[in-house]
Amino acid sequence: MQKEIGDNITHENIKDYLWKTLRNGQVVPGYGHGVLRSPDPRFVALQQFCQTRPELKESPIIQLVNKTSEVAPSVLKEHGKVCAVDCVNVRVGLM
């Protein structure tokens, strides 16, 4: 995801990427977890921590993760997928 979107991290580019992924029959790792029905508390804690550290807050990967968490729920709802956030599995180039 990070490689495809690059430095142009916008809600629209993320939305386009998510739709392309879903239309190709792929899943969006970290979203639609069978047990979690709201944001994973680990994700929330990491998100809050990153906001306190300037070097993390400005990181493109952190910005991508945060913006994806803002866009993905509505895309997945429209697609018909159950949405939950598990940041550990979000494929944005970290794994």
Side-chain angles (χ1 to χ4, degrees), residues 6 12 14 16-17 23 26 32-34 41-42 45-46 49 51-52 57 64 66-67 79 81-84 88 90 95:
E12 193 60 34
I14 291 168
D16 290 345
Y17 176 87
R23 287 186 179 126
Q26 299 173 315
H33 192 283
R42 296 169 294 179
L46 284 170
F49 174 76
Q51 292 302 311
T52 68
K57 188 176 181 178
L64 181 59
N66 287 336
K67 287 185 180 183
H79 185 268
K81 298 282 185 186
V82 175
C83 180
V88 174
V90 175
M95 299 184 180

Side-chain angles (χ1 to χ4, degrees), residues 20-66:
K20 181 177 132 186
T21 300
L22 294 167
R23 287 186 179 126
N24 284 330
Q26 299 173 315
V27 297
V28 179
Y31 291 86
H33 192 283
V35 175
L36 300 170
R37 297 292 183 229
S38 60
D40 185 332
R42 296 169 294 179
F43 173 76
V44 174
L46 284 170
Q47 198 174 31
Q48 290 170 346
F49 174 76
C50 289
Q51 292 302 311
T52 68
R53 305 292 304 261
E55 69 277 13
L56 295 175
K57 188 176 181 178
E58 300 304 319
S59 164
I61 191 71
I62 299 301
Q63 291 176 17
L64 181 59
V65 169
N66 287 336

